[in-house]
Amino acid sequence: MSKIHEAFARARSENRAALIGYLPAGFPTRDGAIECIRAMVAGGVDIVEIGLPYSDPVMDGPTIQEAVDISLANGTKIVDVLDTVKHIASDGTPTLVMSYWNPIERLGVDKFAAEMAAAGGAGVITPDLTPEEAAAWNVATDSNHIDRVFLVALSSTNERIATVAAETTGFIYAGAVMGVTGARTSLSGAVQDLVARTRQASDLPIAVGLGVSTPEQAHDIAQYADGVIVGSAFVNAINAGGAQAAQQLAEQLSVGVKRS
Amino acid sequence: MSNDSVVVPDTLGHFGPFGGRFVPEALMAALDEIDDAFHKAILDPTFIAELNDLLVNYTGRPSPLTVAKNFSKYCGGATILLKREDLNHTGSHKINNVLGQALLTKRMGKTRVIAETGAGQHGVATATAAALFGLECVVYMGEEDTRRQALNVARMRLLGATVVPVTTGSRTLKDAINEAMRDWVANVESTHYLFGTVAGPAPFPELVREFHRVIGKEARQQMLDRFNRLPDAVVACVGGGSNAIGIFHEFIPDAQVRLIGIEAGGDGVETGRHASTITGGAVGVLHGARSFVLQDDDGQTVESHSISAGLDYPGVGPEHAYLHHTGRAEYRPVTDSQAMEAFQLLSQSEGIIPAIETSHALYGAMTLGKELGSDAVILINLSGRGDKDVETAARWFGMTE
Ligand SMILES: Cc1ncc(COP(=O)(O)O)c(C=O)c1O
């Protein structure tokens, strides 16, 4: 069983959803990111998503855009992202990278997949790559034994969900809002329907992200999804109170993801 | 040389290795909807009649072909013909695409349009169509561009549009597109993204091309009717590439006609401060399609530089990448100062003040004319008028008090 599936299985056996935490590499600094991610894991994060900072993050709202700008201004390169993966994965934490497509294509799809595998990474989430354009990526991820995670959206038809489900490995990422990343005060009820429609098409775990920030939201989602993904709220916490605040938020969220 | 029997794009929007769709899943349904509406519309005689009526009676098409007798002397004596897209309503070629997409917006039942703009010409055209069709309109424009194209910001606001200055990144066209995509992904149910050039995810490169093909169709017929021949070369400036594709397309099967796209050379390609994406970039994915991109070794977009807001973009439409790849079209850079020289020469020899974007094509024709000699016939797409640029030009030429 892959590290990711082990983490989902453990959460299920504890009658809760898995908690997935996102942070861009190089934010607030290169070492600071590693420290903050370790604090998130200490607070109860099961699976880590490390963002690869990109100059044109069209799926991200202001919170993550600013964090990514800081990271890029710090000089973060792909090698630094892979090095961050290596640190976190060597702790035994299942670690994914979330990356827009161009940096992967620029490095070379096979090289990127191979270097992720060498760093101990478990998989890659690609928010602007859909299965239609993924032929080379499918081969590269398969041959390097890392997962490739595609997204389903509230606007996805059942036909598209089936297409995405057929190509995804690891877990399926269900977007909770129509829009960019960033904390939201309320989430649409449609996401539960999206998860249900996705279940019809796949036996893979389904994790819900985009806009999720509070333990209450995590709790609601945990009742029907296998994982809860939180990003911007961790960035906000770190901006306010550093690694300690990130750990506290993880502790609160890890209570939230329990099934009642 | 290209095999002209290959149909581009394919059904997934690929022009050979370029194009396609690299977008969030959340936008896939909307892109499918546009693709479907577009392909139905162009086979629907009612749609075609409506669009033609607008092009003739609102835009003022066909646009004239002007013989630039005096400017010819700066072009090695070659015969210079100007396809006058500057005389369209709103002052550039951009209106051709905008009216087509505004009609599509109506057909899709959407009530709001958003657009990106660099020079402001696409924003003005979109605000104009929104006024005409009763659509809500929001235009994203880099803050740097709102400053250098202030006249167009005022025009958009007078037309009832909301102009949002974008303060992220380089504060130019690239960042305006990012912000428009973010708006679209959140409001896609009510909103059509009225994309302004032949870049972006499929079907935009094909759709925008089809709405601008009228430029080349008219020009080719005007050449045959008045001169009984085709030009030796067709020259157009390339930002995203819409005016160039529009005038090139009808000539693609005419293998003897050279197609030459002029990119913005900024301070010179060798300085690294330029917007010559094909000349100085590498293959990559930006804003939803694979094409040439100005980028570093990590795939981070590098900021472009050009005096011209409309050409100041680190990407280019995928069909241009394809035409470059097949060798059917050639792409050359023209610097800021060369473009401004052509701006002044056309203004003072023909009484036509061109847009700074267009001035790049004019300088390209000056060089080409000298290469080809006085027997040559060169067709230039005069993509827009320069009213919006008078302040920049006055500063450039030291004419401000
Ligand atoms: C007059 C004019 N020409 C050319 C352009 C460049 O766009 P494209 O390359 O899509 O024709 C612009 C864009 O703003 C423009 O206003």
Side-chain angles (χ1 to χ4, degrees), chain B residues 92-94 119 121 197 237-243 310-311 355 357-358 383-384:
Chain B
S92 81
H93 69 291
K94 297 284 182 187
Q121 289 300 108
T197 189
C237 66
V238 178
S242 65
N243 87 87
L311 305 183
E357 289 75 20
T358 313
S383 60

Side-chain angles (χ1 to χ4, degrees), chain B residues 248-267:
Chain B
F248 284 176
H249 228 266
E250 211 58 19
F251 293 97
I252 287 177
D254 303 316
Q256 76 278 20
V257 178
R258 285 172 68 181
L259 306 177
I260 300 175
I262 305 297
E263 301 192 296
D267 292 347

Side-chain angles (χ1 to χ4, degrees), chain B residues 85-86 91-94 117-123 149 152 173 196-199 208 212 236-246 262 308-312 316 320 354-359 381-386 388-389:
Chain B
E85 293 298 299
D86 62 319
S92 81
H93 69 291
K94 297 284 182 187
T117 198
Q121 289 300 108
H122 176 60
Q149 310 278 227
N152 275 345
L173 182 54
T197 189
V198 289
V208 177
H212 279 306
C237 66
V238 178
S242 65
N243 87 87
I245 282 288
I262 305 297
S308 147
L311 305 183
D312 196 353
V316 64
H320 286 292
I356 296 178
E357 289 75 20
T358 313
S359 303
N381 195 0
L382 202 85
S383 60
R385 67 182 190 217
K388 68 186 179 58
D389 295 316

Side-chain angles (χ1 to χ4, degrees), chain B residues 54-364:
Chain B
L54 286 167
L55 291 179
V56 172
N57 299 311
Y58 190 69
T59 306
R61 301 208 72 91
S63 67
L65 197 62
T66 300
V67 183
K69 285 203 193 74
N70 304 323
F71 186 67
S72 162
K73 65 173 171 284
Y74 305 113
C75 307
T79 300
I80 300 295
L81 302 164
L82 306 174
K83 180 61 175 161
R84 299 292 303 280
E85 293 298 299
D86 62 319
L87 295 178
N88 293 338
H89 179 44
T90 71
S92 81
H93 69 291
K94 297 284 182 187
I95 191 80
N96 303 324
N97 163 51
V98 165
L99 290 172
Q101 287 199 50
L103 283 178
L104 276 186
T105 305
K106 284 294 222 190
R107 281 167 82 96
M108 292 187 293
K110 304 211 170 183
T111 55
R112 178 174 178 266
V113 288
I114 56 173
E116 83 293 346
T117 198
Q121 289 300 108
H122 176 60
V124 166
T126 304
T128 297
L132 180 65
F133 289 104
L135 300 163
E136 185 191 342
C137 178
V138 177
V139 179
Y140 292 93
M141 187 169 190
E143 193 184 47
E144 161 77 7
D145 295 340
T146 61
R147 191 187 52 70
R148 55 181 165 172
Q149 310 278 227
L151 174 73
N152 275 345
V153 176
R155 290 171 79 198
M156 288 184 268
R157 290 186 171 143
L158 288 171
L159 289 160
T162 303
V163 180
V164 181
V166 174
T167 56
T168 52
S170 52
R171 302 173 185 225
T172 57
L173 182 54
K174 162 181 93 79
D175 310 285
I177 295 176
N178 289 345
E179 220 39 52
M181 300 248 258
R182 291 181 184 120
D183 178 319
W184 199 32
V185 87
N187 299 297
V188 64
E189 205 147 318
S190 67
T191 299
H192 176 61
Y193 183 3
L194 211 159
F195 199 72
T197 189
V198 289
F204 285 115
E206 179 192 8
L207 180 159
V208 177
R209 174 189 85 193
E210 291 305 309
F211 289 139
H212 279 306
R213 268 177 81 164
V214 62
I215 305 170
K217 279 186 188 156
E218 286 175 7
R220 191 172 182 282
Q221 198 56 51
Q222 287 165 325
M223 288 295 309
L224 293 174
D225 290 349
R226 280 176 52 198
F227 305 97
N228 202 26
R229 59 162 293 174
L230 294 177
D232 296 301
V234 182
V235 181
C237 66
V238 178
S242 65
N243 87 87
I245 282 288
I247 197 163
F248 284 176
H249 228 266
E250 211 58 19
F251 293 97
I252 287 177
D254 303 316
Q256 76 278 20
V257 178
R258 285 172 68 181
L259 306 177
I260 300 175
I262 305 297
E263 301 192 296
D267 292 347
V269 173
E270 68 290 347
T271 67
R273 290 177 52 83
H274 63 87
S276 299
T277 313
I278 293 178
T279 309
V283 175
V285 170
L286 177 67
H287 294 147
R290 184 180 292 113
S291 185
F292 282 81
V293 181
L294 299 181
Q295 56 180 323
D296 69 12
D297 290 343
D298 261 14
Q300 307 289 351
T301 311
V302 171
E303 283 180 17
S304 56
H305 295 275
S306 171
I307 190 171
S308 147
L311 305 183
D312 196 353
Y313 179 56
V316 64
E319 190 163 9
H320 286 292
Y322 179 71
L323 292 173
H324 167 74
H325 174 76
T326 62
R328 181 63 190 92
E330 306 157 51
Y331 296 85
R332 301 176 170 191
V334 158
T335 64
D336 287 355
S337 54
Q338 291 169 332
M340 292 313 290
E341 182 187 337
F343 176 98
Q344 190 169 41
L345 291 175
L346 190 81
S347 300
Q348 297 185 0
S349 66
E350 298 289 345
I352 298 170
I353 300 177
I356 296 178
E357 289 75 20
T358 313
S359 303
H360 288 72
L362 293 164
Y363 190 89

